[in-house]
Each structure stands twice: as C-alpha cells, then as structure tokens.
Amino acid sequence: MELAGWQVSGKIDYDKLIDKFGCQRLDQSLIDRVHRLTGRPPHVFLRRGVFFAHRDFNEILDAYERGDKFYLYTGRGPSSEALHLGHLVPFMFTKYLQDAFKVPLVIQLTDDEKCMWKTLSVEESQRLARENAKDIIACGFDVTRTFIFSDFDYVGGAFYKNMVRVAKCVTYNKVVGIFGFTGEDHIGKVSFPPVQAVPSFPSSFPHLFSGKENLRCLIPCAIDQDPYFRMTRDVAPRIGYHKPALIESSFFPALQGDTGKMSASDPNSAIYVTDTPKEIKDKINRYAFTGGQDTKEKQMLYGANLEVDIPVKYLSFFLDDDAELDYIKQEYGSGRMLTFDVKKQLIEVLTELVERHKRARAAVTDEMVDAFMAVRPLPSMFS
C-alpha cells in the first residue's frame, strides 16, 4: 500500500513522526499484554521496536479480552515481479498476529492503483498481483482464515457502496492535502483513496462478515500509511463504522543506509526473495553500509557505530536469538568483532531466510492462489 504524497528519504526521526501524526508509541505494557492474552512470546518485531507506534491497539486488546474478536487487514501494491525483504516485514508480522489471535485476515492487492501510478497496463498489473500473491501465500498464511483479493476482480457490490459513502465525506481540498495531488494528476488517482479505505469496514466483505458489522479491524502497516488511514478514521464514525486500529512499523532500510532508498530500478539497493546465495553474499559484502572502521586497527581501537550500521540493523529484523544479537552488538560496538564477522553472520541469516521462502513459494500452485482468492465463507474464521 503506497502513499503517493508522502515521500520517505534520509534519516527519519520517529519521535517527531509520532508527534506530527498524533499516534501513540507502542510501550512495554502493551507488548506484555499481547504476551498474556495470546500465551505466545511477542514477535521479534514487537520485542525490538520494529512495530513501534499504534492507534487504538489498546482498544482492540480490550475487546479481545472481553471475548470480542477482530479481523486483520493489510495489502500490497503489485508493481514488481519480485518482493524484497522490506516487503516481507508486514506480512511476517501479520502472520504472527493471525496465528496468535486466531482471527481472519483480508489482504488487498491494489492492482488498480499500480496501473494508475506506474506505466503498467491493466493486464500486466493483474498478472503481477497473482505473482505477488504467491509470495504472500508463501509466508504461511492459513487458507481457512485468509481472503486475498485483487481490486480489479473484487470491487463492486457492498464494497463499492462503501467506497461511495467514503468518497462523499472527503473533499477535494482534503485529499490534495493528504496525498499532494496536483492539477497534472489524472482523475483516477484522485478517485482511488476510498478503494484502500473500505477494507477497514467489515460490511465490505458480506461473504465473510455478514451479521458481524460491528467487528473491529486492525491494520498492520508502515508508518508512512498513517496519514492515509487518518482519513479513513476521520470518515468512519460519520458513516456509522468503527475507526480501524493501526499498528505501525518503522521503515526497512536500504543496503546503502539512511541516505539510500530501496528501489526496483537499483537491484543492489535491496535483497530480493529471488536472489541467489551468491547475489546475497555479494550485495552484503559490497553494498551494505557499515558503521565499522576502515582498518582492523581502528576497529579494534574505536569499535563500530551501531547507529548507522546496516548489517546490525538487518540482524535486528531477522536474527531471532536476542542473546546472540546483544552479544554481536556488544562485541562489534567495542571493537572486539570485525565488520567481516558481522557481515558473514548476516549473509548466513538472510541466505537461510530467502532459501526457505523460495522453497515455500515453489510449492504454491495456481490452484492454491485460486483458493485464497475465492469469494467464499472462511471455514475456521474465529476458531
């Protein structure tokens, strides 16, 4: 899901973002509460502050504690053949939430959005949506609790009625303020925001939630989506719906560090789920920005600057063992460990992750994609 008017670049001050957007920081008491309510250890992304901000997540937990379930909503704009590791982060976390809380999930593939924002034909956008669906399914979602839909296929009926209800509540000035549209943008872009807003409302999915119109929605997403869903939250009570709750992550950094940006036009800016072990090794060794010193002697004397070190940041996302990560940080930061050793560890972790994903994706058939995208009741929605 992409926010057209809110560009991300350079070093990001997340405290400032929280103040600017008016969301709340995800504190330890909420993380402990997730542990207590689910009986599962908090996900590594929760423990390490990857998902660090929220709106009304406490209300979702209140409702869950009373015995009221909720549903999850996330999405993907299918603009490229292969996903990079940053694309996997929200899906890995959403899978954890689905498993921990045993709740249904809707995943929106905005093939229409990508067709309008990129130089893609309708047919190519649809093809990429199905290809991306295979990568999403490979993350291990439960087909009995998950509905994946592409906008080109699904929009209509109750979903479209909700789009019209939202559209009537948002002025042109408001949408320009949020998305930064100009007079040069075609009207397709201006008309798109309601499409991404209405999966937040259960009545958009009558085949799933008929008679459950009061069900709350939780949206795991990156923090750049916050202005987008502020619009949705502003409109929701005016059309008789609950405001969706959000749980929001920081950005996954480019290999080149805070100044870089992961871009499909620069394959060396990210690790892709299609990369070979050799490509992963070469990218980490050649392009991963390091906070280590430029000579062994200096490294042993001064240690590494962990604040800017990409190998350490990537390990913070994907190395499960907290004790091992703390050890690496301590040794590397003090100069007792060299950049080469940290990169070697990262190469092992990412190679295993990508190879595991490739095996899972290879097992996803067209029939499985059809099953996830079929408009049908979900058999074990809340069990």
Side-chain angles (χ1 to χ4, degrees):
M1 293 191 280
E2 202 163 276
L3 188 68
W6 206 84
Q7 295 302 320
V8 182
S9 59
K11 187 162 172 56
I12 295 152
D13 185 330
Y14 288 107
D15 288 324
K16 255 190 191 163
L17 269 192
I18 284 177
D19 289 344
K20 180 182 174 183
F21 290 166
C23 43
Q24 290 82 45
R25 188 166 271 283
L26 199 61
D27 60 25
Q28 190 58 43
S29 66
L30 275 177
I31 296 168
D32 292 342
R33 200 171 166 206
V34 169
H35 190 178
R36 180 170 56 80
L37 288 174
T38 63
R40 286 178 180 236
H43 192 275
V44 64
F45 294 162
L46 273 182
R47 298 200 307 270
R48 297 189 189 149
V50 172
F51 278 79
F52 72 102
H54 75 100
R55 289 182 182 275
D56 295 345
F57 185 47
N58 52 317
E59 290 185 20
I60 291 283
L61 296 180
D62 289 345
Y64 186 80
E65 198 156 17
R66 290 193 304 266
D68 298 332
K69 293 281 189 165
F70 59 92
Y71 74 100
L72 295 160
Y73 157 40
T74 194
R76 159 95 183 124
S79 58
S80 60
E81 193 89 35
L83 277 63
H84 57 58
L85 292 183
H87 294 138
L88 282 190
V89 167
F91 292 111
M92 291 167 78
F93 187 64
T94 301
K95 175 183 160 37
Y96 154 78
L97 291 172
Q98 182 184 55
D99 291 346
F101 289 99
K102 297 183 174 56
V103 289
L105 160 68
V106 296
I107 299 174
Q108 180 179 42
L109 299 173
T110 54
D111 44 5
D112 52 344
E113 174 204 23
K114 289 306 170 189
C115 178
M116 289 191 279
W117 258 265
K118 308 273 184 182
T119 52
L120 293 171
S121 67
V122 169
E123 293 73 22
E124 178 64 359
S125 298
Q126 286 185 290
R127 187 187 71 79
L128 289 173
R130 274 188 77 87
E131 287 303 306
N132 285 189
K134 291 175 184 174
D135 279 303
I136 293 167
I137 292 165
C139 293
F141 292 107
D142 179 351
V143 70
T144 67
R145 289 198 188 99
T146 306
F147 174 51
I148 301 176
F149 66 100
S150 96
D151 289 341
F152 279 135
D153 290 336
Y154 185 72
V155 171
F159 193 100
Y160 185 66
K161 288 175 187 173
N162 277 337
M163 282 170 49
V164 171
R165 290 179 183 116
V166 169
K168 285 177 72 175
C169 292
V170 183
T171 64
Y172 178 70
N173 284 344
K174 178 111 178 167
V175 90
V176 165
I178 297 170
F179 296 95
F181 295 135
T182 70
E184 299 305 303
D185 284 310
H186 58 68
I187 59 173
K189 291 185 177 183
V190 180
S191 67
F192 178 75
V195 186
Q196 202 169 304
V198 302
S200 311
F201 310 136
S203 62
S204 297
F205 305 101
H207 69 286
L208 300 179
F209 304 131
S210 181
K212 296 185 173 72
E213 281 74 18
N214 273 326
L215 203 58
R216 294 293 301 262
C217 175
L218 174 63
I219 305 170
C221 61
I223 187 86
D224 63 333
Q225 299 297 306
D226 189 88
Y228 189 94
F229 288 111
R230 273 215 307 278
M231 180 200 86
T232 309
R233 285 168 54 84
D234 178 54
V235 169
R238 293 158 62 190
I239 57 176
Y241 296 135
H242 285 301
K243 294 180 179 185
L246 305 174
I247 184 163
E248 302 174 318
S249 71
S250 55
F251 300 112
F252 189 74
L255 276 172
Q256 285 81 355
D258 288 330
T259 54
K261 189 173 190 307
M262 284 187 288
S263 165
S265 59
D266 178 9
N268 296 319
S269 64
I271 303 292
Y272 285 82
V273 296
T274 49
D275 284 349
T276 64
K278 184 182 185 307
E279 284 171 330
I280 292 171
K281 183 179 180 180
D282 289 348
K283 284 183 183 183
I284 299 296
N285 283 331
R286 291 179 63 186
Y287 301 109
F289 186 82
T290 171
Q293 305 299 327
D294 52 11
T295 67
K296 181 179 177 180
E297 291 71 28
K298 279 188 187 172
Q299 172 63 15
M300 291 171 77
L301 191 61
Y302 301 116
N305 177 359
L306 303 184
E307 284 297 302
V308 299
D309 193 89
I310 287 298
V312 165
K313 287 187 180 182
Y314 277 28
L315 286 170
S316 297
F317 277 80
F318 299 120
L319 179 63
D320 282 337
D321 190 322
D322 289 343
E324 195 176 350
L325 182 67
D326 288 343
Y327 174 79
I328 291 168
K329 284 181 167 179
Q330 203 175 347
E331 296 295 294
Y332 186 40
S334 66
R336 290 189 295 272
M337 188 180 274
L338 302 178
T339 302
F340 170 80
D341 301 313
V342 181
K343 285 188 170 183
K344 184 168 178 282
Q345 176 88 344
L346 178 62
I347 289 163
E348 285 174 17
V349 168
L350 294 189
T351 302
E352 186 191 339
L353 173 72
V354 169
E355 289 300 302
R356 192 169 63 237
H357 182 85
K358 281 185 197 169
R359 286 193 299 273
R361 193 193 190 279
V364 178
T365 62
D366 281 326
E367 289 73 24
M368 286 168 71
V369 176
D370 291 340
F372 273 93
M373 299 184 83
V375 179
R376 87 272 183 226
L378 295 174
S380 54
M381 200 153 58
F382 292 110
S383 57

